[in-house]
Amino acid sequence: MRLGPRFLPFADAATTELPLGRLLRLSLFQISVGMAVVMLSGTLNRVMIVELNVDAWLVALMVALPVAFAPLRVLIGYRSDHHKSRLGWRRVPYIWMGSLLQFGGFAIMPFALLLLSGDTHGPAFVGPLSAAAAFLLVGVGLHTTQTAGLALATDLAPAHARPRVVALLYVMLLVGMMISSLIFGALLSDFSQLRLIQVIQAAALITICLNMVALWKQEVRDPARTSPDRVRPPLRELWRDVTAESSVRRLLLAVALGTAAFSMQDILLEPYGGQVLGLSVSATTLLTALLAGGALAGFAVAARGSKRGGDPCRTAGFGIVIGIVAFSAVILAGPFGSVLLFQIGTILIGLGSGMFSVGTLIAAMAIADRRHAGLVVGAWGAAQATAAGVAIAFGGAFRDIVGAIASAGGIGPALQHSSTGYAASYLLEIILLLVTLVVIGPLARHTNQMSENRSWRLGLAELPS
């Protein structure tokens, strides 16, 4: 009992108000979100293109649909902050509704995909329309569940434990992604349409079960707080109030820029390893594990730093610097033909991304200490998810354009190589990281001691750890 809290990862995130068992049970909603992310952007992406022979542009459109809903996370957070109900719950209805949407999307998805592949005698538009509806339902559900779930964690955790709670929740998200990707890969190795239906509908059942367990007896009912007679302040007024400080706007801009910089490589890293360095499929698959391991280390570093009184924006800044070094290593791995340098760069990308994500979320939750938790966490999630989706789409297009120009000799014979398009994309990511460092820098230039007798502002001095 004495050694446990010291050596068990994130055991110190538990408090009297939120014991470890209850915290771990709450974090199950992140497992279901991670499973949905892997299913949409990983497993089904490959299955639709390879096994079902769906056009790549149509697959890209389907995968991008959930991102289109990401900006509405602000509205979800705001509505959960000011939910009206005689039952007395604010967050539970939104997590529950998000779970139902995920379940519904997964329930109809396998049949929609079969129609999309052309296995139907009905009108041609039925397949794309039903597949779009399924992807959109899952996307709306995971955004709703995650926004309300993080807001509930903010409500339940005391201020001093929130940084470690955030880190634990994101570890669970990563764990959910890693475990589900391995299970989906194993189950679909011997592909058949029947097996696809079974796997996706099993994901639907697991999602609803995990989220029900996560929700059970977490939020205390308070009918006075959700009384239908209470006046709900307009969203525009609250948003203007929250973003009145330039530092708040600066933080959200840094989140968008930094996330875009770290996310652009998501669909480029494995092709770079295979096309430029000649790695096998199994070797490039290992990159996912290296990236995840680096991210886990980043979460741990961010949590440990916050426990020691470190500022979250400074932690995010260190993550950006590590990211610059990481992308430089990846670029240099091509000319040097060094697989080891490439693997080190991949680990560092995960480390920097993990530190940046957790650091900025901790900073957002510090704002929520004095503002509306759902609105602020929703704004952070909207900025992150939207930037990630746009960056992934742009990164692939940018690589193709630069690569085509280079192959045609448009930028000189020295750069007429398959690695040029990739190197240009990674260089653009380094530039974005430098811009992010400039944006977030002023937030991390003071010590994080907050004076009680001065007006509140979002600066380093005003961000409690």
Side-chain angles (χ1 to χ4, degrees), residues 268-323:
L268 300 178
L269 209 58
E270 292 192 26
Y272 180 80
Q275 190 173 0
V276 177
L277 296 174
L279 297 179
S280 64
V281 175
S282 60
T284 55
T285 304
L286 177 63
L287 297 175
T288 303
L290 295 177
L291 200 66
L296 280 172
F299 297 159
V301 169
R304 187 174 181 84
S306 67
K307 183 181 179 182
R308 293 183 173 183
D311 178 74
C313 288
R314 191 176 297 275
T315 299
F318 282 131
I320 294 170
V321 173
I322 291 172

Side-chain angles (χ1 to χ4, degrees), residues 57-71:
W57 69 267
L58 188 56
V59 174
L61 180 63
M62 296 298 170
V63 174
L65 277 175
V67 179
F69 188 80

Side-chain angles (χ1 to χ4, degrees), residues 285-357:
T285 304
L286 177 63
L287 297 175
T288 303
L290 295 177
L291 200 66
L296 280 172
F299 297 159
V301 169
R304 187 174 181 84
S306 67
K307 183 181 179 182
R308 293 183 173 183
D311 178 74
C313 288
R314 191 176 297 275
T315 299
F318 282 131
I320 294 170
V321 173
I322 291 172
I324 293 172
V325 175
F327 286 117
S328 301
V330 170
I331 291 174
L332 292 174
F336 286 109
S338 174
V339 176
L340 178 62
L341 188 59
F342 179 53
Q343 291 173 336
I344 292 173
T346 301
I347 294 172
L348 291 179
I349 290 173
L351 177 63
S353 176
M355 292 175 65
F356 177 79
S357 298

